[in-house]
């Protein structure tokens, strides 16, 4: 049918080429140009892949114009307020929300895998005491294939599942250990009687001589943040995991590559940038002056944590996290802390200032998550690590989906070559 194809007309030659349109459940159609070079002898050029669909996926749907985010069809608003993180993890991995027994079994499997091989602990000692926790996370996660090589056949469905379970279970343990190493405290073992988020907080803040029982609001906030950060479609780090996995690399190496991509300040480091901005503003009395600077296109100052590349409306995750952010500040943080007071004043002005409202520059999830992590006592250099803990679920879900796709093939983007044309080698004396 004509409406199921798209025609490309080459003005230079007059030739026309017809390509099929591929449609998903919802969202825009995609022109299947996989045979473009073969038929027309040309490539497409799309820096940042802003208009390119790289795969079929049934995991996450985003409509940035309408402010919609769904995991496996379920609105993020429902999952964030009603589900546990491991319930969402099961949904992302297997496609359906678990029944009671399925969730019990899944939680038991994840809990059983939280321990690290004792020899792996020595690996942490190779890092300098002031190594960034993300550097440690990249290295240790990448090394897991050397310790758990009993189930590394990427073409074996059961092996893939075991590796996915291990990553979901062990990344929080590694993350907490990276933090402990950075502050010179002993690594804390996980406790099998605690829930996923409570266990992680305890591994972060307990010591052998002083246990730690997280407050309920802290556990609730972390559970919410992990759900909101669990997946976000084909972002930079998820695409990195898929591209690495397309070569047949083991899942630990793929996730380590995803962590490295997430480390960038334009991706997982955005909530750190929010704290940097608040420190730069410095005082609540300076907020309005900095808001005016943000409006001036010739001023280098930029508001961090406002607006979103994907969402042209309000970030749906920000709506959910805003309420919990205020609860956390009221219950576990010093609400008179100048930094928190400054952040709330910034939020208030931005939500009511015509300039920001008209441009839909609303506070996004990074604005609130940085404030929450700070209130929970998590240091700034751990913010991106927290993101990685949550996003591991999305990464392994996409990796498993890709590896089970019979049409999966190695990723090989094209380029427009802009270097010198052919030239001849000259002896060094003649150059």
């Amino acid at each position: 049918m004509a409406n199921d194809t798209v025609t490309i007309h080459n003005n230079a030659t007059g030739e026309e080429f017809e390509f099929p349109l591929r449609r998903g459940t919802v969202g825009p159609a995609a022109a299947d140009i996989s045979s473009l070079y073969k038929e027309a002898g040309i490539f497409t050029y799309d820096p940042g892949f802003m208009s390119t669909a790289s795969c079929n996926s049934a995991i996450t749907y985003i409509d940035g114009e309408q402010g919609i985010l769904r995991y496996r069809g379920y609105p993020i608003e429902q999952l964030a307020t009603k589900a546990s993180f491991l319930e969402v993890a099961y949904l992302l991995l297997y496609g359906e929300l678990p029944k009671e027994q399925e969730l019990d079994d899944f939680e038991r499997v994840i809990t059983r895998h939280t321990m690290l091989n004792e020899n792996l602990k020595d690996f942490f000692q190779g890092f300098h005491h002031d190594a960034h926790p993300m550097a440690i996370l990249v290295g240790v996660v990448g090394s897991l294939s050397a310790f758990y090589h009993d189930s590394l056949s990427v073409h074996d469905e059961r092996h893939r599942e075991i590796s996915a379970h291990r990553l979901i279970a062990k990344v929080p343990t590694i993350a907490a250990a990276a933090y402990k190493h950075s502050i010179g405290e002993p690594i804390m073992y996980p406790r099998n009687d605690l829930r996923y988020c409570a266990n992680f907080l305890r591994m972060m803040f307990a010591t052998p001589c002083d246990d730690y029982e997280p407050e309920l609001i802290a556990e609730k906030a972390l559970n919410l943040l992990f759900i909101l950060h669990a997946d976000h479609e084909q972002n930079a780090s998820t695409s990195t995991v898929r591209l690495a996995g397309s070569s047949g690399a083991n899942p630990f190496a793929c996730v380590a590559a995803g962590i490295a991509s997430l480390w960038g300040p334009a991706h997982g480091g955005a909530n750190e940038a929010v704290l940097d901005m608040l420190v730069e503003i410095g005082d609540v009395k300076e907020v309005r002056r900095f808001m005016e600077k943000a409006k001036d296109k010739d001023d280098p100052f930029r508001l961090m944590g406002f607006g979103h590349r994907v969402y042209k409306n309000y970030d749906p995750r920000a709506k959910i996290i805003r309420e919990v952010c205020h609860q956390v500040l009221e219950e576990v943080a010093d609400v008179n802390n100048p930094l928190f007071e400054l952040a709330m004043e910034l939020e208030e002005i931005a939500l009511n200032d015509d300039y920001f409202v008209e441009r839909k520059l609303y506070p996004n999830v990074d604005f609130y998550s940085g404030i929450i992590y700070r209130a929970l006592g998590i240091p700034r250099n751990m913010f991106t690590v927290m993101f990685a803990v949550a996003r591991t679920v999305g990464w392994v879900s996409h990796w498993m989906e890709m590896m089970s796709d019979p049409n999966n093939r190695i990723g090989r983007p094209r380029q427009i070559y802009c270097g010198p044309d052919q030239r001849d080698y000259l002896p060094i004396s003649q150059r």
Side-chain angles (χ1 to χ4, degrees):
M1 295 175 61
N3 62 350
D4 285 325
T5 62
V6 62
T7 300
I8 294 179
H9 180 87
N10 188 331
N11 292 328
T13 65
E15 294 177 293
E16 289 191 344
F17 305 92
E18 196 170 83
F19 301 96
L21 280 176
R22 302 211 176 273
R23 302 182 186 277
T25 310
V26 289
D32 183 350
I33 57 167
S34 53
S35 62
L36 177 64
Y37 178 65
K38 180 180 178 181
E39 293 187 29
I42 59 176
F43 301 142
T44 57
Y45 181 63
D46 184 19
F49 309 110
M50 293 295 292
S51 298
T52 298
S54 61
C55 63
N56 291 306
S57 180
I59 297 173
T60 298
Y61 173 70
I62 296 173
D63 184 332
E65 300 295 332
Q66 300 299 317
I68 293 172
L69 171 61
R70 300 177 190 146
Y71 295 163
R72 301 285 192 179
Y74 291 97
I76 191 63
E77 294 85 351
Q78 295 180 20
L79 295 173
T81 55
K82 299 177 180 179
S84 70
F85 176 66
L86 284 186
E87 193 176 0
V88 171
Y90 186 99
L91 169 68
L92 292 175
L93 279 174
Y94 299 110
E96 299 292 343
L97 285 170
K99 297 176 182 176
E100 188 172 357
Q101 187 59 54
E102 290 172 331
L103 182 58
D104 287 345
D105 292 343
F106 184 65
E107 289 176 339
R108 192 175 302 111
V109 168
I110 298 301
T111 300
R112 194 177 73 239
H113 281 304
T114 53
M115 284 277 291
L116 300 179
N117 185 298
E118 278 295 292
N119 293 319
L120 188 59
K121 288 171 60 179
D122 296 335
F123 197 58
F124 288 87
Q125 304 310 313
F127 291 95
H128 202 253
H129 69 89
D130 60 353
H132 195 290
M134 280 295 282
I136 299 175
L137 194 66
V138 170
V140 177
V141 170
S143 78
L144 290 178
S145 60
F147 292 88
Y148 302 102
H149 44 72
D150 58 323
S151 53
L152 282 184
S153 174
V154 297
H155 302 295
D156 185 306
E157 183 178 359
R158 179 57 182 152
H159 281 204
R160 294 198 298 267
E161 184 179 43
I162 292 170
S163 294
H165 290 166
R166 281 177 168 156
L167 279 160
I168 294 169
K170 295 182 190 303
V171 167
T173 309
I174 296 169
Y179 170 64
K180 288 297 193 183
H181 179 77
S182 72
I183 61 174
E185 289 185 359
I187 292 173
M188 295 299 296
Y189 289 106
R191 248 178 52 188
N192 289 355
D193 61 316
L194 293 177
R195 291 180 294 270
Y196 191 85
C197 292
N199 199 16
F200 179 64
L201 285 168
R202 181 185 171 276
M203 287 190 290
M204 282 277 293
F205 297 120
T207 67
C209 57
D210 189 14
D211 207 358
Y212 171 87
E213 291 294 335
E215 295 188 47
L216 190 58
I217 185 62
E219 185 183 351
K220 175 185 176 182
L222 195 61
N223 183 77
L224 174 65
L225 283 166
F226 280 2
I227 289 173
L228 297 180
H229 281 137
D231 193 52
H232 210 239
E233 207 204 59
Q234 301 308 313
N235 51 81
S237 57
T238 300
S239 297
T240 298
V241 171
R242 279 184 171 265
L243 190 59
S246 72
S247 71
N250 73 75
F252 304 113
C254 295
V255 169
I259 294 168
S261 176
L262 186 74
W263 197 352
H267 190 4
N271 48 18
E272 284 190 60
V274 171
L275 267 292
D276 290 337
M277 175 194 68
L278 294 177
V279 170
E280 180 183 357
I281 295 173
D283 191 291
V284 69
K285 296 175 183 177
E286 294 291 311
V287 170
R288 290 192 179 275
R289 182 172 72 85
F290 274 89
M291 295 295 265
E292 292 305 313
K293 285 166 64 67
K295 296 176 186 179
D296 184 356
K297 64 180 181 180
D298 296 323
D299 194 300
F301 176 77
R302 293 290 179 268
L303 277 181
M304 305 305 297
F306 289 81
H308 196 279
R309 181 182 179 183
V310 173
Y311 298 109
K312 307 309 176 188
N313 206 313
Y314 200 95
D315 183 342
R317 301 169 299 172
K319 293 180 181 179
I320 304 162
I321 201 174
R322 180 178 185 271
E323 181 181 348
V324 172
C325 178
H326 285 262
Q327 290 176 11
V328 168
L329 291 181
E330 289 172 6
E331 294 189 33
V332 304
D334 176 10
V335 292
N336 296 316
N337 184 306
L339 204 64
F340 298 142
E341 184 183 1
L342 193 159
M344 294 302 99
E345 177 69 13
L346 194 64
E347 175 203 50
E348 180 67 23
I349 294 175
L351 290 175
N352 293 284
D353 188 297
D354 289 341
Y355 178 90
F356 296 101
V357 172
E358 288 171 6
R359 290 164 177 75
K360 298 181 178 178
L361 294 175
Y362 304 113
N364 61 32
V365 69
D366 297 311
F367 178 79
Y368 293 111
S369 65
I371 296 169
I372 290 175
Y373 286 141
R374 172 72 177 250
L376 295 180
I378 294 167
R380 194 179 65 181
N381 66 354
M382 282 291 294
F383 286 3
T384 314
V385 175
M386 305 297 285
F387 197 157
V389 172
R391 187 54 59 84
T392 296
V393 169
W395 290 332
V396 297
S397 298
H398 280 274
W399 177 77
M400 288 180 68
E401 180 183 62
M402 180 189 68
M403 295 309 298
S404 64
D405 183 354
N407 296 317
N408 175 42
R409 56 192 301 182
I410 187 170
R412 179 58 171 87
R414 298 290 194 164
Q415 66 173 27
I416 297 175
Y417 175 69
C418 300
D421 201 350
Q422 180 175 322
R423 49 185 175 172
D424 295 325
Y425 177 89
L426 292 175
I428 195 166
S429 61
Q430 298 179 26
R431 295 176 203 164

